[in-house]
Amino acid sequence: MIVGLIGAGHIARALAEGWSRPGLSGSPSLLFFDVDAAKARDLADASGGAATASAHELVAASELV
């Protein structure tokens, strides 16, 4: 499953850290978008996800937003 998170603040970080925990089976692939592109990239790097250039791109690529 591909999960998109709009915003890379505290809630997104908590969800990403939980879903990217080592040994957790069935973890979703994560996409991030934030108006501060650096925050989205940092969170993507920390969680093994990817950052998108726009919210529209994130929504189009995600199964759950």
Side-chain angles (χ1 to χ4, degrees), residues 8-30:
H10 295 293
I11 293 173
R13 183 167 295 278
L15 291 169
E17 287 174 356
W19 280 326
S20 62
R21 220 177 297 150
L24 184 65
S25 64
S27 297
S29 296
L30 300 174

Side-chain angles (χ1 to χ4, degrees), residues 2-53:
I2 301 171
V3 175
L5 297 167
I6 297 176
H10 295 293
I11 293 173
R13 183 167 295 278
L15 291 169
E17 287 174 356
W19 280 326
S20 62
R21 220 177 297 150
L24 184 65
S25 64
S27 297
S29 296
L30 300 174
L31 294 176
F32 300 95
F33 170 75
D34 195 281
V35 293
D36 182 346
K39 284 178 66 175
R41 283 192 306 271
D42 289 345
L43 187 50
D45 290 343
S47 65
T52 62

